Structures are given as C-alpha cells and as structure tokens.
Amino acid sequence: MIQITPKTEPTPKPPSIGPSFGFLAVVGLVGFGLTLAQYFLLLERGKYLVRSQSPDAIIFAVLPYLLLFIGSILTLGLVLYLYTTGSRGAKISSLALSLHKANAELNRKIVEEKKMARALRESEQKYRAIFENAGIGICQIAPSGEWINANKTIAQILGFRNAQELLISQPDLHGGLFVDPHVRKDWFARLEESSQLGHEVELKTATNNKVWVNMTGHAVRDTMGDIMHFECTMFDITERRGAELELMRTKEQADFANRSKSEFLANMSHELRTPLNAIIGFSEIIRDQLFGPVGQDQYIEYAGDIHDSGQLLLSLINDILDMSKIEAGKRDLAETVMGVEDIVRSVTRLVAARAKAGKVRLSMSVPPTLPFFRAEERAFKQILTNLLTNAIKFTPEGGSVTLSADLGKNGEMIIAVQDTGIGMTPEEIPVALAPFGQIESALSRKNQGTGLGLPLTRALVELHGGTLGLESEVGKGTTITLTFPKERVVKKV
C-alpha cells in the first residue's frame, strides 16, 4: 500500500492594506487637538477684532473660522475614507488568505493525484507482468463466447504461439473449443448460477489435437447484477489424465486376471476333490482292513500315509475353493442364530487333541449371559478353528492359548484369541495376512500349512461385516481380535 504524505506549507499572514486603526486614531486625536487649540486661539483673536468694529476686521475674523470648519470637515472625511479603506483592505486580505489556502490545497491534491496515478501505473504493470507470466492459463470471456483477454500460458495450452494470435482466432466464438458441446453449454449455464466452479473438460487445440484441462471460473457482474464477462483459469492435466486412464486399464486387467484366477481355482478345486475323495476312501478301507487282513503291516502304514496326505490336500483345496468363491463374490452365507458358548466349546474340543500333543494349555472364557449371535455356523466354526489351530501351531511347549468372547461398549460382539507363542515383527504381519504368505520359523517348518488360514479367516469375518485386528510382539505372543457389528447380536428371550 502506497502512503502519500502531502507537503504542508506555513499559513501566510494577511497582507496589510492602508493604515491601521491605531494609527488613524492617533492621527485623528492629534488633528482634533490641534484644531481645538487653533479654534481657541482664533476665538480670542476674533473677539479682539470684533471690538474694533471694522468690517474688514470682522470678515478677517470670520474667515479663519470658516476655513477651520472646512478643514475639519475635510480632515474628518479623510479619516473616514482612510478607515473605510482599511476595513476593505482587511476583507481583501482575508480573501487573499483564503485564496492562498485554496491554492495550497489544490497543489496538495495535485501532488497526491500524481502519486496515486504513478502508484496505479506501477500496480497495473505488476498485475500485467503477473498476468502475462503466470504458470496457469488466465482468460476473460464475454457471455457471447468472445475472448476478451488471455495470457501466454493459456495460448500455449490451446496450441497458439501467443495471446494475440489466440484473440484473433477466437477459438470458442462459435462453440468449437469444447470437444463435447453439451459440456460447454452446461459449463456456462452453471457459471451463471455459481460463484466459483471447477471442472475437468476436454478441449480442441489449434493444431487439431485434444487436451484435457482443469478449468475454474466465475462470473464478473456490474453494480446492477448483470454479467459483464467470465474470468477463467486453466492448467493442462493431459498427462495426469492419461496416467489415470492407464491406471484404470491396468486395474481392470488385474481385476479380470484375478477373477479368471479365482474361477480357474474354483473349477480346479472341484475337479481335484472328486479323485481325492476316492483316494481317501480307499486308503481308509486298506488302513482299517475292512475286507480282511492286508498281509503286511507296512502296507497298512503306507495306506495311513496316503490317507493323511489326501486329507491335507483336501483341506488345502477346500481353503482355496472358499477363498476363490469369496474373491469372485460367489460365497453366500446361510445364516442362523446360534449360541456363541456352544460353538466355542465345540471348536475347543475339536482342537484339544492338537493342543495336548503340542503340550499347549487351551482355555476359553465366555460369560453364560452372552446373547445369541447371527452368522453362518459353518463359516463361524471355520473362523475359530483356523485361529485356534494357528495359535497352537506357533506356540511352543508350555505355552497357552485363550479364546474369549464378550460384548463391546457399543453392543458389538468381540471375540479374541490370545497366545504366548513366538509372535511376529511389524514387517511380518502383512505377510501373514496375505494369501499363501507364511512366516519362516522353526515351528512353521515343523508344522505344514497352506498359508491361507489368516487371509481366509479375515475374508470370512469381513463377509459377516466384521473386522480382524492383529497385535503381536516377538517372543511374547499374538492377539487376534474379531469385531462383529451389533446388528448380529440377538438378545436372549
């Protein structure tokens, strides 16, 4: 902001015109005193001449009085004239002082106007420099579509060498700038109603190419509220738009490949389960010698190995099938209302033998007043079984695994599985949650697995609208918390 300090001049004293009132008073008093003195002197002389009774003496005696009277009148007139002249001089002096002040004020305003005009020119030059050298395109467009003003950047975006060439060409005068004319019509219609509007549009350039720009504009109105013109800014987003489109195409291809993989795995899982059922069934017959003795114990042992391998392979195929169904969006839930305590006891009994073999203490904590829970029983058992099996697998001898269930403060169902196992580092947690991801350790090498336990569990939990949280610390253990929405909690009647 430019501050103008006007030059102050001292106020001049009014010029003196004619004698002052004090001088006139002194002159008048002196003249009046002399006249009186002369009058008395002449009076005495007149008396003397009158006594002489001579006509000439009388005339001579009267004539001085007459001259004295005339002189007094003239003196008084002169004094009055001089006084009047002094009074008029004072008025003229006051008027001259006012004119001097007015002239000084006029000079001050002229100086201020010059400074303001210079500041305005400097401001305009700065604005013009900013306008011309701005990194984004700036333009002014009349309601008729005529471009009133534009800078160099916007001209280059639209394929012109400079702003003058753009303004001469008037690329949008007949609505030919926008690739989609409906977008142009909608853009200006919304500009008339909105104070500020941003939009991404595709435009045609002077070289018959197409460019994507981000346009922001607003309407400039006069004091009556009528639109004078539109002010718009734009910057080129063609590269970003192309990258986004390429990213979308890549994502679509990845999604398609993922769906194809899931469909392939689902089909292959069905195809593999059919012969596996026969392998497992016949190996059970041989192992249990249902049709009589085999002849050698070694064959029975081999049949047991075949049966165990077949069961492991069938478990892997079932996990792959469930995971592929979920990824393909074809896994539907057959929901029922169940007691959480009953399900927890059933699953605990199922894995108790494995915990006993690994010398791991297994416990459960479920309050008897816990409400019922609405979910798919098979999926819910699979979730708890996977979590307990994993916890037992990665807990050394002498450790413990605890399964607990309770309601949260907002009425949601919370189920937690806590172990005192080997734990994981923060870097290993994403690996454990990824499909087929396994953490390398002595216990993982000892216990074979598919790497689908945790990912499949999380997918089934999310299929029920819940979330899976995992906290772990190396050497201290892991806690996995499942949170299901309160809408799945059913009060006991």
Side-chain angles (χ1 to χ4, degrees), residues 283-333:
S283 62
E284 281 184 1
I285 292 173
I286 298 172
R287 184 192 62 185
D288 299 336
Q289 304 182 65
L290 295 179
F291 299 117
V294 175
Q296 292 188 18
D297 293 340
Q298 198 171 11
Y299 289 139
I300 299 174
E301 185 180 346
Y302 288 159
D305 293 339
I306 294 171
H307 180 270
D308 293 341
S309 298
Q311 287 286 7
L312 180 62
L313 185 57
L314 182 61
S315 174
L316 170 61
I317 291 172
N318 286 334
D319 286 349
I320 293 174
L321 180 61
D322 287 338
M323 197 71 183
S324 61
K325 280 184 177 180
I326 294 174
E327 289 180 349
K330 296 180 179 180
R331 178 67 163 85
D332 298 323
L333 296 176

Side-chain angles (χ1 to χ4, degrees), residues 343-359:
I343 300 297
V344 169
R345 289 187 183 279
S346 173
V347 173
T348 304
R349 284 195 300 269
L350 185 64
V351 299
R354 179 173 294 190
K356 184 177 180 181
K359 299 180 181 180

